[in-house]
Amino acid sequence: MTRHGLILDFGGVLTTSVPACAAWFDAQQGWPVGTFLNAIAVDPVGRDLYADLERGAITQTEWNEGTAAILGTNPLNLLGRVLAGLHPEPMMIDAAQAARRAGVRVGIFSNSLGSNPYDPYAGYQFDEFYDAVLISEHYGMRKPDPEIYSIMLGLMGLPAEDCVFVDDTARNLPPAEALGITTVLAATPDDTIQQVEAFLGLTLREQV
């Protein structure tokens, strides 16, 4: 069965690797690799702060201040400084647009990082290049909260069985699978695109 909807995570799918970006920031600060990720994913206070940011329960500035206290660093534009090493992934962006030109509905489904003072989505032209965009803070939920996946399907205007969802975080996939959405765990852009091509029944890269 070929599908007619493609749902893409943002960080780590349309961008370069998030763990690599975090490691880059650690190096910039002279910290051991893993310091930043530990602060947002392992430290219980930091983990809750990050979840609250994704749900829109706190502002980016509040997150900057709380997370900087854990790390012992300057809170000023902390998120912007961390994400300075995150860049667009042109292969995935081009593949998404090739799918859209072929008649596939393409959506963005991203856990929020806030947009002020730093907007991680600036320059990606969501309104122009994608058919549906869900940023979690606007719904008071985040992946993997099950309810938000149904909201995304509503924005896509397609049944679950007609959609492919790509995310670089394994724990975000099971709620989609439970609804009947086909899932792809993003690894390298080449591998990810190959899997998406198979599910969509399309060639999304120029043949050489």
Side-chain angles (χ1 to χ4, degrees):
M1 169 186 172
T2 57
R3 283 79 170 172
H4 301 91
L6 177 60
I7 302 170
L8 301 171
D9 180 34
F10 175 69
V13 176
L14 292 181
T15 75
T16 50
S17 164
V18 174
C21 175
W24 170 86
F25 182 68
D26 288 338
Q28 295 294 306
Q29 300 300 305
W31 297 337
V33 173
T35 298
F36 177 76
L37 288 181
N38 183 78
I40 67 169
V42 178
D43 181 284
V45 175
R47 188 173 61 235
D48 288 347
L49 282 168
Y50 197 69
D52 285 345
L53 177 66
E54 291 180 323
R55 293 192 180 103
I58 62 173
T59 66
Q60 189 183 107
T61 297
E62 289 171 324
W63 178 87
N64 286 342
E65 292 170 351
T67 304
I70 295 169
L71 291 166
T73 192
N74 183 354
L76 183 63
N77 192 30
L78 176 59
L79 185 71
R81 288 160 36 220
V82 172
L83 296 186
L86 196 69
H87 305 290
E89 180 47 72
M91 284 181 63
M92 285 301 303
I93 292 171
D94 290 349
Q97 295 315 301
R100 196 165 183 243
R101 288 192 298 271
V104 173
R105 283 184 61 80
V106 181
I108 300 295
F109 184 19
S110 177
N111 278 348
S112 179
L113 295 174
S115 59
N116 184 53
Y118 177 78
D119 184 358
Y121 307 113
Y124 286 85
Q125 299 173 278
F126 283 178
D127 291 343
E128 181 178 353
F129 291 145
Y130 301 93
D131 299 293
V133 179
L134 190 161
I135 307 299
S136 63
E137 68 172 303
H138 303 303
Y139 298 87
M141 294 179 279
R142 63 165 189 158
K143 297 176 291 186
D145 295 340
E147 298 86 348
I148 202 167
Y149 294 77
S150 296
I151 294 172
M152 185 66 210
L153 283 176
L155 294 176
M156 291 292 289
L158 292 169
E161 296 77 11
D162 207 12
C163 292
V164 178
F165 171 48
V166 182
D167 200 296
D168 67 324
T169 303
R171 69 186 178 93
N172 291 338
L173 301 182
E177 294 164 352
L179 291 172
I181 301 170
T182 298
T183 62
V184 173
L185 180 61
T188 66
D190 188 68
D191 176 72
T192 301
I193 293 168
Q194 183 176 349
Q195 293 186 65
V196 170
E197 287 176 328
F199 289 128
L200 297 180
L202 295 170
T203 297
L204 303 178
R205 295 167 288 189
E206 291 186 9
Q207 300 301 300
V208 295

